[in-house]
DNA sequence: CCCAAATCTTAAGAAATTCTTACAGCCTTA
DNA sequence: TAAGGCTGTAAGAATTTCTTAAGATTTGGG
């Protein structure tokens, strides 16, 4: 389990690191929100402990960004004890918060609580580097996709969509959700943009695109990759 | 959204009720753990706020019981502020805790935070989970319905109706209620739209639609899915 | 056993969603 | 600069689902 600790105060980061590593977690460090985002994109992170007040990009805004891209549980740290701060953090997507100074045992308890919840519910996160369902295999490190051992060349957008669906095989994603996850949550395109990409992916990975084996549509709801 | 507030102090329950109802939640009340369990078994509860110290069955033991039977988020209330208590509560399955006295705004924030975890994007009526009664299983994540292990393909409306009835198995819903919940409309004319959908669902999930095993009619009242 | 009210059944047209194809703009690469 | 591939958009086709209506059937009370 990788836990990202994000705080500009190195002493606090170090203290937290010791407690977490004592419990067997792997600790990654970041000193501001931008750095945190970079780390999240480059390696699997299962939980984030984040300070609200930081230079460059503050913790709240970083949390929002993180929420847009992956649902990783976030525990916020706050130097202030004011309720308004707490509530803001929770409403903006944090799962829990603590005020500094905090009790180390309490920190551990909260981390465990969040991780238990997270593993129970299943995640949108890309925890492994290889995803598989039936004969469909996606190696996220080499960005290689194979169907029944045969390599398939996908374009970047196609790859992102298929990875999202395969990494969460069995789960249905609405067109809106796919759009939000694959593109930046900016403006909306034409309603059938995603449909066209789905069609193109099917042409490449399905034997018969009209009777898809992997990439299925759930009428009125969205698309999913079958869990095989 | 139904929230169960469980505390032996009636004043506190009443105070919490006011705050929650202000936010549009429906509040159910219980004065001890046993009562809480009874309520959970008799009607849908989406979140529980529970005091640790109570007569008959204390909050911690009640939480454990609840966790064994259903995964409903639990926010614990504690009169003591000691860390040991907090940690015990979290480790025993509570999702969050607060110490009395608490700030009402903080309570609301925590309630929302917990509910967000469990709700799907579409409707706020349901947690993202699996509903089952007898051989009928509905996986809300993959939107997959199976009867005796065999997959059944339902249309969006059919799925919504069956999910409503199965998620609240044993409870009878009038045609008006079904219409209101599924279509989100108050008005309901003199047509038999719901009846037609019921018929279609029966054709798919029942061996003999004329003698339904799951989807039964309660004459003059409405429909229900049998609790098996 | 009959009647009134409620539910069931069937089918067909209407409506909604997804699929398919084609094309133009853009970026990358040679 | 030209070629080739990627992406987003549009429009119509194809498919699936929803609603409505009318008649048949079932239920419970008298």
């Amino acid at each position: 389990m990788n836990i990202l600790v994000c705080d500009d105060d190195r002493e606090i980061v170090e203290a937290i690191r010791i407690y977490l590593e004592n419990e067997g977690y792997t600790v990654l460090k970041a000193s501001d929100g931008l750095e945190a985002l970079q780390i999240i994109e480059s390696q699997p992170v299962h939980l984030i402990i984040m300070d609200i007040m930081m230079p460059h990009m503050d913790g709240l805004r970083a949390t929002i960004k993180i929420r847009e891209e992956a649902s990783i549980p976030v525990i916020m740290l706050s130097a202030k004890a004011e309720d308004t701060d707490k509530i803001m953090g929770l409403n903006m997507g944090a799962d829990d918060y603590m005020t500094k100074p905090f009790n180390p045992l309490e920190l551990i308890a909260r981390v465990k609580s969040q991780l238990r919840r997270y593993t129970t519910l299943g995640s949108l996160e890309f925890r492994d580097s290889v995803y598989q369902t039936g004969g469909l295999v996606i190696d996220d490190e080499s960005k290689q996709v194979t169907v029944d051992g045969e390599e398939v060349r996908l374009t970047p957008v196609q790859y992102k969509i298929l990875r999202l669906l395969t990494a969460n095989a069995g789960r249905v994603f609405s067109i809106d959700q796919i759009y939000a996850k694959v593109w930046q949550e900016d403006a909306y395109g034409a309603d059938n943009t995603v449909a066209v990409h789905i069609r193109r992916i099917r042409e490449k990975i399905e034997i018969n695109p009209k009777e898809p084996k992997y990439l299925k549509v759930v009428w009125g709801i969205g698309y999913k990759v079958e869990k095989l």
Side-chain angles (χ1 to χ4, degrees), chain A:
Chain A
M1 284 292 193
N2 296 334
I3 298 178
L4 173 62
V5 180
C6 185
D7 197 320
D8 55 320
D9 185 334
R10 298 213 172 275
E11 276 187 37
I12 289 183
V13 173
E14 200 54 28
I16 294 174
R17 187 183 65 77
I18 290 166
Y19 294 127
L20 292 178
E21 290 189 345
N22 241 7
E23 292 287 319
Y25 298 110
T26 305
V27 174
L28 309 169
K29 293 182 276 191
S31 56
D32 62 64
L34 284 174
E35 205 180 317
L37 283 172
Q38 285 167 4
I39 290 173
I40 290 163
E41 278 171 18
S42 65
Q43 52 194 301
V45 172
H46 305 100
L47 184 141
I48 300 166
I49 297 172
M50 177 167 287
D51 193 11
I52 290 184
M53 303 297 287
M54 281 184 298
H56 301 312
M57 185 187 274
D58 66 62
L60 286 176
R61 276 172 55 206
T63 301
I64 295 168
K65 270 276 180 198
I66 290 163
R67 287 282 154 172
E68 285 173 2
E69 297 182 16
S71 62
I72 304 171
V74 177
I75 297 176
M76 297 278 258
L77 287 180
S78 168
K80 303 179 193 167
E82 283 93 302
D83 290 317
T84 48
D85 270 340
K86 294 181 180 180
I87 291 162
M88 273 190 72
L90 287 170
N91 280 340
M92 282 180 172
D95 298 275
D96 203 351
Y97 64 85
M98 297 185 62
T99 50
K100 291 188 278 191
F102 53 83
N103 181 319
L105 291 177
E106 187 178 333
L107 173 74
I108 298 296
R110 285 174 186 271
V111 165
K112 284 185 180 171
S113 173
Q114 291 300 323
L115 286 176
R116 180 181 53 225
R117 186 192 97 194
Y118 163 82
T119 47
T120 306
L121 288 175
S123 74
L124 295 174
E125 193 223 350
F126 310 113
R127 117 182 26 215
D128 309 313
S129 56
V130 177
Y131 316 108
Q132 190 209 342
T133 178
L136 174 64
V137 180
I138 298 182
D139 185 337
D140 199 36
E141 243 164 88
S142 62
K143 310 293 178 195
Q144 201 173 52
V145 179
T146 54
V147 177
D148 296 331
E150 212 161 314
E151 183 174 352
V152 172
R153 290 194 68 80
L154 295 182
T155 69
V157 173
Q158 289 164 16
Y159 181 84
K160 280 187 189 170
I161 292 174
L162 189 61
R163 183 183 60 172
L164 173 69
L165 297 181
T166 308
N168 301 283
R171 183 173 178 132
V172 182
F173 287 81
S174 71
I175 288 181
D176 292 345
Q177 285 177 306
I178 293 172
Y179 209 93
K181 291 278 177 192
V182 172
W183 286 264
Q184 309 318 319
E185 211 160 335
D186 296 326
Y188 255 55
D191 339 8
N192 71 338
T193 301
V194 172
V196 171
H197 282 290
I198 293 287
R199 160 71 176 158
R200 288 169 181 160
I201 296 170
R202 278 181 179 153
E203 267 176 358
K204 291 181 179 176
I205 70 169
E206 303 285 4
I207 297 163
N208 178 5
K210 300 223 176 194
E211 275 180 35
K213 177 183 168 193
Y214 299 109
L215 214 177
K216 301 210 172 177
V217 60
V218 180
W219 224 87
I221 301 177
Y223 298 95
K224 68 170 173 177
V225 160
E226 204 72 74
K227 204 173 196 165
L228 297 173

